[in-house]
Amino acid sequence: MRTRLRVLRAEKEWSQADLADAVGVTRQCINAVETGKYEPGLDLAFKIARIFGKNVEEVFLYEESETSSGRQ
Amino acid sequence: MSTLPGPQYSKKRRKITLRMFYVFVLLASGTFIMADKASQPAQGALFTLGIGLAGVGIWSFLGFLKVADTHQRLINHEATSFAFVGSLLLTLAVGILQRFGFLSGISLLVPALMIALWSIGLFVFSWRYQE
């Protein structure tokens, strides 16, 4: 899964700490999501998307090939 | 720059519960060590006090997990697994050594060992998620 979080955050000029406070997680969590080291749960993904006024799919890009190749 | 809504959670509560956990585990360990060296009448009271302090420590840790986010819970889960497996392996090794007459009377150090391994685990697994 890829994310546009860093770009969206930069557009709004929010720091990782600002976003973390707004969605109720630690700054380290936002950093891990941005760097792709941690995939957020549905609850956090929706909270983040809502903060930016976007749909989840506009913030998190699900790459079909990652799982479909695993299932084959 | 657009504004964000204010914090929805208490950062303070996470810090306080985690600090309480460390303090009470330290106090409990100290009390158990004192109880081990104390005379008979005081020993029972000190052990009871130690169990009570350890109980508050566990309660603080559960309180921390309650306010922690999913990422922190994941790190704690990994650190706890690391501490559990590490303690199991080390206590097994100590048990074997004790059978041959080495390292007697260090069973009280097992909780301290678990906490030490858990702290190391927290550091290592938190670092893994850094940039």
Side-chain angles (χ1 to χ4, degrees):
Chain A
M1 191 166 74
R2 285 190 301 128
T3 176
R4 293 183 58 234
L5 194 52
R6 183 163 282 176
V7 177
L8 292 169
R9 196 169 53 74
E11 281 173 5
K12 300 263 185 187
E13 294 179 38
W14 293 340
S15 68
Q16 286 184 341
D18 292 335
L19 182 60
D21 277 349
V23 294
V25 296
T26 57
R27 190 199 61 77
Q28 286 79 10
C29 178
I30 296 297
N31 180 60
V33 172
E34 282 188 0
T35 52
K37 289 178 179 168
Y38 174 66
E39 289 188 2
L42 275 175
D43 185 54
L44 180 57
F46 274 101
K47 271 186 191 172
I48 290 172
R50 203 160 286 175
I51 286 280
F52 287 107
K54 296 198 179 289
N55 293 322
V56 176
E57 306 94 295
E58 292 174 279
V59 183
F60 299 100
L61 313 167
Y62 178 70
E63 289 169 332
E64 192 69 40
S65 59
E66 277 179 17
T67 48
S68 59
S69 61
R71 282 181 193 158
Q72 283 166 1
Chain B
M1 180 179 157
S2 52
T3 53
L4 273 165
Q8 293 173 357
Y9 73 110
S10 170
K11 273 188 197 173
K12 260 188 186 172
R13 207 172 152 203
R14 282 182 196 163
K15 278 184 187 168
I16 289 168
T17 48
L18 205 57
R19 277 177 196 165
M20 269 178 72
F21 169 71
Y22 274 111
V23 167
F24 279 99
V25 165
L26 206 69
L27 287 173
S29 303
T31 311
F32 283 131
I33 290 166
M34 276 165 60
D36 196 42
K37 291 174 180 170
S39 55
Q40 197 58 41
Q43 206 169 40
L46 282 170
F47 265 119
T48 313
L49 178 66
I51 290 166
L53 289 168
V56 178
I58 292 166
W59 175 78
S60 312
F61 184 63
L62 293 175
F64 165 74
L65 287 180
K66 219 173 171 182
V67 288
D69 62 49
T70 50
H71 183 240
Q72 283 181 312
R73 280 184 204 163
L74 175 71
I75 291 170
N76 271 282
H77 173 74
E78 288 171 333
T80 312
S81 307
F82 172 74
F84 184 81
V85 174
S87 303
L88 182 73
L89 293 174
L90 286 170
T91 47
L92 264 175
V94 168
I96 291 166
L97 286 171
Q98 281 180 337
R99 262 185 84 93
F100 295 104
F102 300 105
L103 303 170
S104 56
I106 63 158
S107 54
L108 281 170
L109 290 177
V110 174
L113 174 75
M114 279 195 96
I115 297 298
L117 286 172
W118 177 73
S119 301
I120 293 167
L122 272 187
F123 177 77
V124 171
F125 294 111
S126 300
W127 172 77
R128 222 178 60 175
Y129 290 104
Q130 299 299 309
E131 266 179 303

Short mmCIF file of all heavy atoms in Angstrom, two decimals, chain A residues 13-62:
data_model
loop_
_atom_site.label_atom_id
_atom_site.label_comp_id
_atom_site.label_asym_id
_atom_site.label_seq_id
_atom_site.Cartn_x
_atom_site.Cartn_y
_atom_site.Cartn_z
N GLU A 13 0.62 22.35 4.91
CA GLU A 13 1.66 22.88 5.80
C GLU A 13 1.48 22.42 7.24
O GLU A 13 1.66 23.20 8.19
CB GLU A 13 1.75 24.41 5.72
CG GLU A 13 2.21 24.90 4.36
CD GLU A 13 2.28 26.42 4.29
OE1 GLU A 13 2.67 27.03 5.30
OE2 GLU A 13 1.92 26.97 3.24
N TRP A 14 1.10 21.18 7.37
CA TRP A 14 0.96 20.61 8.72
C TRP A 14 2.20 19.79 9.01
O TRP A 14 2.72 19.10 8.13
CB TRP A 14 -0.26 19.68 8.80
CG TRP A 14 -1.57 20.36 8.67
CD1 TRP A 14 -1.82 21.68 8.86
CD2 TRP A 14 -2.81 19.75 8.29
NE1 TRP A 14 -3.16 21.94 8.64
CE2 TRP A 14 -3.79 20.77 8.29
CE3 TRP A 14 -3.20 18.46 7.99
CZ2 TRP A 14 -5.11 20.54 7.98
CZ3 TRP A 14 -4.52 18.21 7.68
CH2 TRP A 14 -5.47 19.24 7.68
N SER A 15 2.62 19.80 10.26
CA SER A 15 3.74 18.95 10.66
C SER A 15 3.20 17.56 11.01
O SER A 15 1.98 17.39 11.18
CB SER A 15 4.46 19.54 11.87
OG SER A 15 3.61 19.49 12.99
N GLN A 16 4.09 16.61 11.12
CA GLN A 16 3.66 15.26 11.52
C GLN A 16 3.01 15.31 12.91
O GLN A 16 2.02 14.64 13.16
CB GLN A 16 4.87 14.32 11.57
CG GLN A 16 5.37 13.91 10.20
CD GLN A 16 6.51 12.91 10.27
OE1 GLN A 16 7.16 12.77 11.31
NE2 GLN A 16 6.78 12.24 9.17
N ALA A 17 3.58 16.15 13.78
CA ALA A 17 3.04 16.26 15.14
C ALA A 17 1.64 16.86 15.14
O ALA A 17 0.76 16.41 15.89
CB ALA A 17 3.97 17.12 15.98
N ASP A 18 1.39 17.86 14.26
CA ASP A 18 0.06 18.47 14.16
C ASP A 18 -0.98 17.42 13.78
O ASP A 18 -2.05 17.31 14.38
CB ASP A 18 0.04 19.57 13.07
CG ASP A 18 0.89 20.77 13.46
OD1 ASP A 18 1.08 20.99 14.66
OD2 ASP A 18 1.34 21.49 12.54
N LEU A 19 -0.62 16.64 12.72
CA LEU A 19 -1.55 15.62 12.23
C LEU A 19 -1.76 14.53 13.29
O LEU A 19 -2.89 14.07 13.51
CB LEU A 19 -1.01 15.01 10.93
CG LEU A 19 -1.88 13.96 10.27
CD1 LEU A 19 -3.25 14.51 9.89
CD2 LEU A 19 -1.20 13.38 9.03
N ALA A 20 -0.65 14.15 13.93
CA ALA A 20 -0.73 13.10 14.97
C ALA A 20 -1.68 13.53 16.09
O ALA A 20 -2.52 12.74 16.52
CB ALA A 20 0.66 12.83 15.53
N ASP A 21 -1.55 14.77 16.53
CA ASP A 21 -2.44 15.28 17.58
C ASP A 21 -3.89 15.27 17.13
O ASP A 21 -4.79 14.94 17.90
CB ASP A 21 -2.04 16.71 17.96
CG ASP A 21 -0.89 16.74 18.95
OD1 ASP A 21 -0.56 15.67 19.48
OD2 ASP A 21 -0.33 17.84 19.17
N ALA A 22 -4.10 15.65 15.88
CA ALA A 22 -5.48 15.75 15.38
C ALA A 22 -6.17 14.40 15.26
O ALA A 22 -7.38 14.31 15.45
CB ALA A 22 -5.47 16.45 14.02
N VAL A 23 -5.41 13.36 14.93
CA VAL A 23 -6.05 12.04 14.79
C VAL A 23 -5.85 11.15 16.01
O VAL A 23 -6.33 10.02 16.05
CB VAL A 23 -5.58 11.30 13.50
CG1 VAL A 23 -6.05 12.01 12.26
CG2 VAL A 23 -4.08 11.10 13.48
N GLY A 24 -5.12 11.67 17.01
CA GLY A 24 -4.99 10.94 18.28
C GLY A 24 -3.99 9.82 18.29
O GLY A 24 -4.19 8.79 18.93
N VAL A 25 -2.90 10.00 17.54
CA VAL A 25 -1.82 9.00 17.58
C VAL A 25 -0.49 9.71 17.85
O VAL A 25 -0.46 10.94 17.98
CB VAL A 25 -1.72 8.22 16.24
CG1 VAL A 25 -2.97 7.41 15.97
CG2 VAL A 25 -1.42 9.14 15.06
N THR A 26 0.59 8.95 17.90
CA THR A 26 1.89 9.57 18.14
C THR A 26 2.49 10.04 16.81
O THR A 26 2.11 9.56 15.74
CB THR A 26 2.87 8.56 18.78
OG1 THR A 26 2.97 7.43 17.91
CG2 THR A 26 2.42 8.13 20.14
N ARG A 27 3.45 10.96 16.91
CA ARG A 27 4.13 11.44 15.70
C ARG A 27 4.86 10.28 15.01
O ARG A 27 4.93 10.20 13.80
CB ARG A 27 5.13 12.55 16.08
CG ARG A 27 5.70 13.29 14.90
CD ARG A 27 6.97 14.02 15.25
NE ARG A 27 8.03 13.14 15.72
CZ ARG A 27 8.77 12.37 14.93
NH1 ARG A 27 8.57 12.37 13.62
NH2 ARG A 27 9.70 11.58 15.43
N GLN A 28 5.40 9.38 15.82
CA GLN A 28 6.12 8.21 15.28
C GLN A 28 5.19 7.36 14.41
O GLN A 28 5.63 6.78 13.41
CB GLN A 28 6.68 7.35 16.43
CG GLN A 28 7.88 7.95 17.14
CD GLN A 28 7.52 9.03 18.13
OE1 GLN A 28 6.34 9.24 18.45
NE2 GLN A 28 8.52 9.75 18.63
N CYS A 29 3.93 7.29 14.80
CA CYS A 29 2.95 6.51 14.04
C CYS A 29 2.75 7.12 12.66
O CYS A 29 2.77 6.42 11.64
CB CYS A 29 1.64 6.45 14.82
SG CYS A 29 0.34 5.55 13.96
N ILE A 30 2.58 8.45 12.62
CA ILE A 30 2.40 9.15 11.33
C ILE A 30 3.64 8.96 10.46
O ILE A 30 3.54 8.68 9.27
CB ILE A 30 2.12 10.67 11.56
CG1 ILE A 30 0.79 10.86 12.31
CG2 ILE A 30 2.11 11.44 10.24
CD1 ILE A 30 -0.46 10.40 11.60
N ASN A 31 4.81 9.06 11.08
CA ASN A 31 6.06 8.87 10.36
C ASN A 31 6.15 7.46 9.77
O ASN A 31 6.52 7.28 8.61
CB ASN A 31 7.24 9.13 11.30
CG ASN A 31 8.56 8.95 10.60
OD1 ASN A 31 8.84 9.64 9.63
ND2 ASN A 31 9.35 8.01 11.06
N ALA A 32 5.77 6.46 10.56
CA ALA A 32 5.82 5.07 10.10
C ALA A 32 4.83 4.84 8.95
O ALA A 32 5.12 4.09 8.01
CB ALA A 32 5.53 4.12 11.25
N VAL A 33 3.66 5.51 9.01
CA VAL A 33 2.67 5.38 7.93
C VAL A 33 3.22 6.02 6.66
O VAL A 33 3.16 5.45 5.57
CB VAL A 33 1.32 6.03 8.33
CG1 VAL A 33 0.36 6.07 7.15
CG2 VAL A 33 0.67 5.27 9.49
N GLU A 34 3.81 7.21 6.81
CA GLU A 34 4.35 7.93 5.64
C GLU A 34 5.47 7.17 4.95
O GLU A 34 5.60 7.20 3.74
CB GLU A 34 4.86 9.31 6.07
CG GLU A 34 3.76 10.31 6.27
CD GLU A 34 4.29 11.73 6.51
OE1 GLU A 34 5.52 11.93 6.51
OE2 GLU A 34 3.45 12.62 6.71
N THR A 35 6.31 6.52 5.75
CA THR A 35 7.45 5.80 5.17
C THR A 35 7.08 4.38 4.74
O THR A 35 7.95 3.64 4.26
CB THR A 35 8.63 5.75 6.18
OG1 THR A 35 8.13 5.24 7.42
CG2 THR A 35 9.25 7.11 6.39
N GLY A 36 5.82 4.01 4.94
CA GLY A 36 5.36 2.69 4.49
C GLY A 36 5.79 1.55 5.40
O GLY A 36 5.68 0.38 5.04
N LYS A 37 6.26 1.90 6.62
CA LYS A 37 6.69 0.84 7.54
C LYS A 37 5.54 0.31 8.40
O LYS A 37 5.67 -0.69 9.07
CB LYS A 37 7.82 1.37 8.44
CG LYS A 37 9.10 1.56 7.68
CD LYS A 37 10.19 2.14 8.53
CE LYS A 37 11.45 2.29 7.69
NZ LYS A 37 12.48 3.08 8.35
N TYR A 38 4.45 1.05 8.40
CA TYR A 38 3.28 0.63 9.17
C TYR A 38 2.02 0.93 8.38
O TYR A 38 1.85 2.05 7.90
CB TYR A 38 3.26 1.37 10.52
CG TYR A 38 2.02 1.11 11.34
CD1 TYR A 38 1.77 -0.15 11.85
CD2 TYR A 38 1.11 2.12 11.59
CE1 TYR A 38 0.63 -0.40 12.60
CE2 TYR A 38 -0.04 1.89 12.35
CZ TYR A 38 -0.26 0.62 12.85
OH TYR A 38 -1.38 0.38 13.58
N GLU A 39 1.19 -0.09 8.23
CA GLU A 39 -0.08 0.11 7.52
C GLU A 39 -1.17 0.40 8.54
O GLU A 39 -1.42 -0.43 9.42
CB GLU A 39 -0.41 -1.14 6.69
CG GLU A 39 0.51 -1.28 5.50
CD GLU A 39 0.08 -2.39 4.54
OE1 GLU A 39 -0.95 -3.04 4.78
OE2 GLU A 39 0.81 -2.59 3.56
N PRO A 40 -1.81 1.56 8.44
CA PRO A 40 -2.83 1.89 9.44
C PRO A 40 -4.06 1.01 9.34
O PRO A 40 -4.37 0.50 8.26
CB PRO A 40 -3.17 3.35 9.10
CG PRO A 40 -2.90 3.47 7.66
CD PRO A 40 -1.74 2.56 7.38
N GLY A 41 -4.74 0.86 10.45
CA GLY A 41 -6.00 0.12 10.45
C GLY A 41 -7.08 0.99 9.80
O GLY A 41 -6.86 2.17 9.51
N LEU A 42 -8.25 0.40 9.59
CA LEU A 42 -9.35 1.13 8.94
C LEU A 42 -9.71 2.40 9.70
O LEU A 42 -9.90 3.46 9.11
CB LEU A 42 -10.58 0.23 8.86
CG LEU A 42 -10.67 -0.71 7.66
CD1 LEU A 42 -11.88 -1.61 7.79
CD2 LEU A 42 -10.74 0.10 6.37
N ASP A 43 -9.76 2.28 11.02
CA ASP A 43 -10.17 3.41 11.87
C ASP A 43 -9.24 4.61 11.65
O ASP A 43 -9.71 5.73 11.38
CB ASP A 43 -10.12 2.95 13.34
CG ASP A 43 -10.63 4.00 14.28
OD1 ASP A 43 -11.75 4.47 14.06
OD2 ASP A 43 -9.91 4.36 15.23
N LEU A 44 -7.93 4.35 11.72
CA LEU A 44 -6.95 5.43 11.55
C LEU A 44 -6.96 5.96 10.11
O LEU A 44 -6.87 7.17 9.88
CB LEU A 44 -5.55 4.95 11.94
CG LEU A 44 -4.41 5.96 11.82
CD1 LEU A 44 -4.69 7.21 12.65
CD2 LEU A 44 -3.08 5.34 12.25
N ALA A 45 -7.08 5.05 9.14
CA ALA A 45 -7.10 5.46 7.73
C ALA A 45 -8.28 6.41 7.47
O ALA A 45 -8.12 7.44 6.81
CB ALA A 45 -7.20 4.23 6.84
N PHE A 46 -9.44 6.07 8.00
CA PHE A 46 -10.62 6.94 7.82
C PHE A 46 -10.45 8.28 8.53
O PHE A 46 -10.82 9.32 8.00
CB PHE A 46 -11.89 6.22 8.32
CG PHE A 46 -12.51 5.34 7.28
CD1 PHE A 46 -12.33 3.96 7.29
CD2 PHE A 46 -13.29 5.89 6.26
CE1 PHE A 46 -12.89 3.15 6.32
CE2 PHE A 46 -13.86 5.08 5.28
CZ PHE A 46 -13.66 3.70 5.31
N LYS A 47 -9.87 8.23 9.73
CA LYS A 47 -9.65 9.48 10.49
C LYS A 47 -8.73 10.42 9.71
O LYS A 47 -8.99 11.62 9.60
CB LYS A 47 -9.00 9.16 11.85
CG LYS A 47 -9.98 8.89 12.96
CD LYS A 47 -9.21 8.73 14.26
CE LYS A 47 -10.09 8.20 15.36
NZ LYS A 47 -9.33 7.86 16.56
N ILE A 48 -7.64 9.85 9.17
CA ILE A 48 -6.67 10.66 8.42
C ILE A 48 -7.33 11.24 7.17
O ILE A 48 -7.22 12.44 6.89
CB ILE A 48 -5.42 9.81 8.05
CG1 ILE A 48 -4.61 9.49 9.31
CG2 ILE A 48 -4.55 10.55 7.03
CD1 ILE A 48 -3.47 8.50 9.10
N ALA A 49 -8.05 10.38 6.45
CA ALA A 49 -8.71 10.85 5.22
C ALA A 49 -9.71 11.96 5.53
O ALA A 49 -9.79 12.97 4.81
CB ALA A 49 -9.40 9.67 4.55
N ARG A 50 -10.45 11.79 6.62
CA ARG A 50 -11.47 12.77 7.00
C ARG A 50 -10.84 14.13 7.34
O ARG A 50 -11.38 15.18 7.01
CB ARG A 50 -12.26 12.23 8.19
CG ARG A 50 -13.62 12.83 8.33
CD ARG A 50 -14.54 11.97 9.16
NE ARG A 50 -14.98 10.77 8.44
CZ ARG A 50 -15.70 9.82 8.99
NH1 ARG A 50 -16.05 9.88 10.25
NH2 ARG A 50 -16.09 8.78 8.28
N ILE A 51 -9.69 14.09 8.00
CA ILE A 51 -8.98 15.32 8.37
C ILE A 51 -8.63 16.12 7.11
O ILE A 51 -8.69 17.35 7.08
CB ILE A 51 -7.68 14.99 9.16
CG1 ILE A 51 -8.01 14.55 10.58
CG2 ILE A 51 -6.69 16.14 9.16
CD1 ILE A 51 -8.32 15.66 11.56
N PHE A 52 -8.28 15.40 6.03
CA PHE A 52 -7.91 16.07 4.78
C PHE A 52 -9.14 16.35 3.89
O PHE A 52 -9.01 16.92 2.81
CB PHE A 52 -6.91 15.21 3.98
CG PHE A 52 -5.54 15.20 4.58
CD1 PHE A 52 -5.05 14.09 5.24
CD2 PHE A 52 -4.72 16.33 4.49
CE1 PHE A 52 -3.78 14.09 5.79
CE2 PHE A 52 -3.45 16.33 5.05
CZ PHE A 52 -2.98 15.21 5.70
N GLY A 53 -10.30 15.90 4.35
CA GLY A 53 -11.53 16.09 3.58
C GLY A 53 -11.52 15.26 2.30
O GLY A 53 -12.05 15.68 1.27
N LYS A 54 -10.92 14.07 2.38
CA LYS A 54 -10.84 13.21 1.20
C LYS A 54 -11.35 11.82 1.52
O LYS A 54 -11.58 11.47 2.69
CB LYS A 54 -9.38 13.12 0.74
CG LYS A 54 -8.81 14.46 0.29
CD LYS A 54 -7.59 14.29 -0.54
CE LYS A 54 -7.05 15.62 -1.00
NZ LYS A 54 -7.86 16.27 -2.02
N ASN A 55 -11.50 11.02 0.46
CA ASN A 55 -11.85 9.62 0.65
C ASN A 55 -10.58 8.84 0.95
O ASN A 55 -9.48 9.27 0.59
CB ASN A 55 -12.49 9.03 -0.62
CG ASN A 55 -13.83 9.66 -0.91
OD1 ASN A 55 -14.61 9.94 0.00
ND2 ASN A 55 -14.08 9.90 -2.19
N VAL A 56 -10.74 7.68 1.58
CA VAL A 56 -9.57 6.85 1.93
C VAL A 56 -8.73 6.54 0.69
O VAL A 56 -7.50 6.60 0.74
CB VAL A 56 -10.02 5.55 2.63
CG1 VAL A 56 -8.83 4.64 2.91
CG2 VAL A 56 -10.72 5.85 3.94
N GLU A 57 -9.41 6.24 -0.41
CA GLU A 57 -8.69 5.87 -1.65
C GLU A 57 -7.85 7.02 -2.21
O GLU A 57 -6.93 6.78 -2.99
CB GLU A 57 -9.66 5.41 -2.75
CG GLU A 57 -10.61 4.31 -2.35
CD GLU A 57 -11.94 4.86 -1.85
OE1 GLU A 57 -11.94 5.53 -0.80
OE2 GLU A 57 -12.96 4.62 -2.51
N GLU A 58 -8.19 8.24 -1.82
CA GLU A 58 -7.42 9.38 -2.31
C GLU A 58 -6.14 9.60 -1.47
O GLU A 58 -5.23 10.30 -1.89
CB GLU A 58 -8.27 10.66 -2.26
CG GLU A 58 -9.41 10.63 -3.26
CD GLU A 58 -10.31 11.83 -3.07
OE1 GLU A 58 -11.17 11.81 -2.17
OE2 GLU A 58 -10.16 12.80 -3.83
N VAL A 59 -6.11 9.00 -0.29
CA VAL A 59 -4.95 9.15 0.58
C VAL A 59 -4.07 7.89 0.54
O VAL A 59 -2.85 7.97 0.47
CB VAL A 59 -5.39 9.43 2.05
CG1 VAL A 59 -4.18 9.65 2.95
CG2 VAL A 59 -6.32 10.63 2.11
N PHE A 60 -4.73 6.74 0.56
CA PHE A 60 -4.00 5.47 0.55
C PHE A 60 -4.26 4.75 -0.77
O PHE A 60 -5.41 4.53 -1.14
CB PHE A 60 -4.42 4.61 1.73
CG PHE A 60 -4.13 5.26 3.05
CD1 PHE A 60 -5.14 5.90 3.76
CD2 PHE A 60 -2.85 5.26 3.58
CE1 PHE A 60 -4.89 6.52 4.97
CE2 PHE A 60 -2.58 5.89 4.78
CZ PHE A 60 -3.60 6.52 5.48
N LEU A 61 -3.17 4.41 -1.44
CA LEU A 61 -3.30 3.77 -2.75
C LEU A 61 -3.01 2.29 -2.63
O LEU A 61 -1.87 1.88 -2.33
CB LEU A 61 -2.33 4.43 -3.75
CG LEU A 61 -2.35 5.96 -3.74
CD1 LEU A 61 -1.18 6.52 -4.51
CD2 LEU A 61 -3.65 6.48 -4.33
N TYR A 62 -4.04 1.52 -2.81
CA TYR A 62 -3.91 0.07 -2.69
C TYR A 62 -3.41 -0.50 -4.00
O TYR A 62 -3.99 -0.25 -5.05
CB TYR A 62 -5.27 -0.54 -2.33
CG TYR A 62 -5.25 -2.03 -2.22
CD1 TYR A 62 -4.58 -2.65 -1.16
CD2 TYR A 62 -5.90 -2.83 -3.16
CE1 TYR A 62 -4.57 -4.02 -1.06
CE2 TYR A 62 -5.88 -4.21 -3.05
CZ TYR A 62 -5.22 -4.80 -2.00
OH TYR A 62 -5.20 -6.16 -1.90
#
